[in-house]
Amino acid sequence: MITTIEAKCKDCYKCLRSCPVKAIRMERGPLPGELHARVSEERCIFDGKCVLVCPQKAKRVSGDLSRLSFLISEGEKVAASLAPSFASAFPEADPLTIPSALRLLGFAFVQETAIGAEMVGEEHARLFKEVDRPLISSSCPAVVNLIERHYPEVIPYLAPLVSPMIAHGRYLKRLMPGVRVAFIGPCVAKHEERRTPGQDDAVDFVLTFEELKRLFSQAGIDLKTLEPGEFDGPRPDWARLFPIGGGMLKTASLSTDMLDHEIICVSGLENCKEVLRQFVADEAAEGAGGQARGGRLPRLVEMLACEGGCIGGPMNPNKEDLYTLRARVLAYVRSCRTRSGSGENRSPSPDDTPNTKDVPQAKPRLPRQLLLRSFRNLKPELRMPDEAVIRTILARTGKLSPDDELNCGACGYDSCRDKAVAVFQGMADPEMCIPYMRERAESMANLFVASTPNGIIVVDEEETIRDLNAAAAGMFRRDRHELVGKKLSTVIDPANFRKVLEDGSTLHAEVSYPELDLITYQTIFYEPSERLAMGIFANITEEKKRESHLQEIRRETLEKAQGVIDKQMEVAQKIAGLLGETTAETKVLLTKLMNVFREERGENGKPSR
């Protein structure tokens, strides 16, 4: 019913910290270290707190809005049962503009759920007189879920009565056979309640006030411009107070005295859990043959999961403080009671609303059996680890002794042992330990910084050295503890750091320190969130020396090569000269020889061969 949008779930654990019953299961995503929070419905009480507190809006309630809108558009007859907390939800207009707006949306019949609350309140009053044991009201579905799933020992104390929503839904379906019923309120748990076996005959759809506000906007309905209307009768009285603490007691004509030790009103899940623990302790003492504390338990507890009552429901779009929300409901009830003196509570005539022909003249009633219900033990069976397993799980996050257990609650669990149990049960992941993960990350970062051969210097806007690693201290032949807190100018020229701090740029430069026989390649960048400049110094002294040596070797090699070339040219020229002289001499000799042969031919008269 409550789904997680994985792309938005960012490992913040806020839903788990806020969940009163730890019904959030942390599941690993496809990437290393990626965790997503999912609702474990077998543990969930559907109070909606996780939806409300999620900073990334990664939790979403699967509702009935689209199906309901479709049926209305198809002409289906749908009756609206409007929770009495509606008077606090739309502060921009008169509360009685809401029934007018609902009819514009296409609802065929609009009534206050407080009609069902009147019936339930009367039955609580009857049980209070008939039953000789403590009772816990059963009108809040989140409280019922809390008891069924987490405190099943207290089920015998739950008043075996349906909620006002179920009572009113059954009333409407008996009044108008074939009608579909849509409950509209601020509660997430109503979605689950309407599907509960044995109660799934009463209500067909659940719509939240948030969704209703969205519908008004989509339909172009401006409540400020609407004329106030009327609900289809009959109309309730004190039951309109049901959404605030003490409202059920007032409806049942029971004591609302804050000092009454027999009847109390408790709101807020932590307060509810505290009272339930008292009931469990009393039950355990009686079961063990000890003396039960029944005399110390109240006779009747009106128990509401949300702080201040239903007006503090998670799907109430009005985020004003509880005092203001309560005042709005009280003002609405006073105005209705004032109008009742002029006939507001009379049975309406055909001219009042379009549906009054279906409204009975008598006070709304239901057969008692339709107001009764039973409860189930839905507590999940959970395996518990032994001490050795717990110690093994704790050791995975560096908790080797009780002194290592910080019990900080950052992961969402009250203690490290509670989280270890959750890890064993598949609800948590060891890496949810924020102090351990931070320590590990810092350790890895420190190891990297400490082991890198590059020097690292961190400087603030005052040009004061905030930190530096051992490599940087070694480069500048100073002690690290001597430099932290000192001005950068006591070590090096701060000009490059100053430029980065002033304009937020990133600077790359080669800087020499001849007095230290040091040459560095510096990368200096700005960290805006901390307003710091970090310089990374690579010692390139040896590299530069090798480069200089290589250049000298190249120079010498070039000089020698040039000398060889010059010598070769000189030799070549000499050889060429010698060859030239020899050739000339040879030519002369050969010419003389040829002439001799010519002369001999002429004397003999024979041709020379």
Side-chain angles (χ1 to χ4, degrees):
M1 193 174 74
I2 299 176
T3 59
T4 296
I5 304 171
E6 288 189 3
K8 293 184 177 181
C9 189
K10 301 296 184 182
D11 297 341
C12 69
Y13 313 137
K14 191 169 185 179
C15 57
L16 180 55
R17 287 195 296 272
S18 302
C19 181
V21 293
K22 306 308 175 196
I24 302 295
R25 185 190 307 276
M26 303 305 299
E27 296 182 353
R28 284 190 173 272
L31 299 177
E34 182 181 359
L35 293 174
H36 298 297
R38 299 193 185 281
V39 174
S40 175
E41 296 207 350
E42 67 271 13
R43 297 188 181 197
C44 186
I45 62 174
F46 302 103
D47 60 306
K49 183 67 71 67
C50 61
V51 179
L52 191 64
V53 302
C54 180
Q56 306 299 329
K57 305 302 179 188
K59 294 288 182 292
R60 180 171 55 196
V61 179
S62 301
D64 302 323
L65 179 58
S66 58
R67 193 162 61 97
L68 173 61
S69 299
F70 174 76
L71 288 178
I72 291 178
S73 68
E74 291 292 304
E76 188 83 21
K77 186 176 182 181
V78 180
S81 173
L82 190 63
S85 51
F86 85 95
S88 70
F90 303 94
E92 64 272 25
D94 186 321
L96 288 176
T97 60
I98 304 302
S100 300
L102 288 171
R103 291 190 179 95
L104 288 176
L105 288 176
F107 286 94
F109 195 84
V110 183
Q111 248 184 19
E112 294 180 82
T113 315
I115 290 174
E118 279 192 339
M119 304 178 198
V120 171
E122 290 175 2
E123 286 301 316
H124 274 91
R126 182 184 300 179
L127 280 173
F128 181 74
K129 295 175 183 177
E130 294 176 352
V131 177
D132 187 22
R133 71 171 187 275
L135 286 173
I136 299 173
S137 66
S138 56
S139 296
C140 174
V143 166
V144 172
N145 292 338
L146 178 65
I147 293 173
E148 287 187 326
R149 288 169 167 81
H150 299 276
Y151 298 92
E153 309 92 324
V154 184
I155 286 177
Y157 298 104
L158 263 175
L161 300 173
V162 299
S163 72
M165 178 187 82
I166 300 299
H168 191 224
R170 286 174 174 168
Y171 169 77
L172 289 172
K173 291 202 170 187
R174 285 171 65 88
L175 179 67
M176 296 172 286
V179 73
R180 299 292 192 97
V181 175
F183 171 82
I184 307 172
C187 182
V188 172
K190 290 296 183 183
H191 283 282
E192 193 264 350
E193 182 189 12
R194 82 166 181 85
R195 301 186 183 100
T196 302
Q199 299 189 120
D200 50 3
D201 62 307
V203 173
D204 302 286
F205 311 100
V206 168
L207 198 67
T208 67
F209 287 152
E210 289 275 11
E211 290 173 319
L212 182 60
K213 185 175 182 179
R214 200 183 319 146
L215 274 181
F216 289 157
S217 176
Q218 291 171 356
I221 297 174
D222 185 357
L223 296 179
K224 296 189 292 293
T225 64
L226 285 183
E227 289 294 324
E230 294 287 355
F231 287 98
D232 294 308
R235 300 180 179 92
D237 191 11
W238 289 118
R240 290 176 171 129
L241 292 172
F242 240 73
I244 62 177
M248 189 277 286
L249 300 177
K250 182 69 174 177
T251 304
S253 300
L254 296 172
S255 172
T256 56
D257 186 349
M258 292 179 61
L259 300 180
D260 193 326
H261 69 282
E262 283 198 328
I263 301 176
I264 63 171
C265 175
V266 180
S267 69
L269 279 166
E270 290 306 318
N271 294 327
C272 292
K273 287 166 61 179
E274 181 63 33
V275 173
L276 291 176
R277 283 193 284 266
Q278 297 299 320
F279 274 82
V280 171
D282 186 78
E283 186 75 13
E286 187 174 5
Q291 184 175 1
R293 299 174 300 166
R296 294 177 55 187
L297 294 176
R299 282 285 318 285
L300 177 62
V301 182
E302 178 188 355
M303 199 171 281
L304 300 164
C306 297
E307 290 284 352
C310 303
I311 54 174
M315 296 295 111
N316 187 340
N318 185 6
K319 303 307 179 185
E320 293 177 310
D321 59 273
L322 288 175
Y323 174 81
T324 303
L325 298 177
R326 182 175 181 273
R328 292 190 183 282
V329 173
L330 291 174
Y332 172 66
V333 173
R334 280 196 301 270
S335 69
C336 289
R337 289 185 62 77
T338 299
R339 291 167 58 226
S340 69
S342 59
E344 194 265 2
N345 264 337
R346 64 180 172 81
S347 296
S349 68
D351 296 329
D352 290 330
T353 68
N355 300 291
T356 52
K357 62 181 184 300
D358 296 324
V359 178
Q361 303 297 312
K363 185 175 182 179
R365 295 287 182 189
L366 273 179
R368 193 177 187 191
Q369 65 269 22
L370 293 181
L371 295 173
L372 299 177
R373 65 162 297 183
S374 59
F375 303 99
R376 303 165 292 165
N377 181 347
L378 299 177
K379 187 173 184 178
E381 294 183 8
L382 302 173
R383 293 188 304 125
M384 294 298 293
D386 58 29
E387 183 63 21
V389 173
I390 290 177
R391 298 292 345 153
T392 300
I393 295 172
L394 288 171
R396 292 170 64 184
T397 53
K399 297 170 180 60
L400 305 178
S401 71
D403 291 339
D404 298 324
E405 298 172 25
L406 298 178
N407 301 322
C408 63
C411 64
Y413 290 94
D414 294 333
S415 69
C416 296
R417 291 179 66 86
D418 287 347
K419 198 205 81 170
V421 172
V423 170
F424 175 79
Q425 294 173 346
M427 296 294 291
D429 188 277
E431 292 189 0
M432 290 166 56
C433 182
I434 294 176
Y436 169 72
M437 295 302 291
R438 184 195 65 191
E439 181 180 333
R440 191 172 78 169
E442 289 177 349
S443 175
M444 292 177 66
N446 291 338
L447 178 64
F448 173 79
V449 170
S451 62
T452 179
N454 295 328
I456 297 176
I457 301 178
V458 180
V459 176
D460 63 20
E461 292 181 319
E462 303 298 322
E463 297 182 11
T464 300
I465 299 174
R466 294 282 293 273
D467 201 1
L468 76 162
N469 67 349
M475 281 183 188
F476 296 102
R477 301 176 189 176
R478 306 283 288 275
D479 185 80
R480 176 182 177 278
H481 299 290
E482 174 191 349
L483 295 178
V484 174
K486 298 294 180 62
K487 291 293 185 180
L488 182 63
S489 57
T490 62
V491 185
I492 61 174
D493 182 356
N496 287 343
F497 277 84
R498 184 177 299 144
K499 181 179 186 305
V500 170
L501 286 167
E502 287 174 354
D503 57 24
S505 61
T506 298
L507 183 145
H508 303 277
E510 184 178 303
V511 182
S512 298
Y513 302 95
E515 71 278 8
L516 297 173
D517 189 26
L518 175 67
I519 305 172
T520 63
Y521 184 81
Q522 302 176 5
T523 300
I524 306 173
F525 60 90
Y526 185 65
E527 211 298 304
S529 63
E530 297 293 333
R531 297 195 294 275
L532 298 172
M534 176 180 285
I536 302 175
F537 293 67
N539 186 344
I540 59 174
T541 305
E542 293 302 321
E543 180 183 337
K544 286 294 182 181
K545 286 181 178 179
R546 285 194 299 271
E547 184 179 326
S548 176
H549 181 62
L550 287 172
Q551 287 176 350
E552 181 64 22
I553 291 174
R554 290 191 189 99
R555 186 186 62 76
E556 291 179 359
T557 301
L558 288 172
E559 287 180 355
K560 289 180 179 180
Q562 188 64 47
V564 170
I565 291 170
D566 292 344
K567 189 68 175 176
Q568 289 290 338
M569 290 300 297
E570 182 182 347
V571 170
Q573 288 172 356
K574 287 181 178 180
I575 291 172
L578 291 172
L579 287 173
E581 291 177 2
T582 302
T583 302
E585 291 174 357
T586 302
K587 180 180 179 183
V588 171
L589 291 174
L590 289 174
T591 303
K592 287 180 178 182
L593 182 60
M594 289 172 66
N595 291 331
V596 170
F597 275 103
R598 289 191 188 98
E599 290 174 357
E600 289 180 355
R601 180 182 177 189
E603 291 177 357
N604 299 327
K606 293 182 181 179
S608 168
R609 291 184 183 271

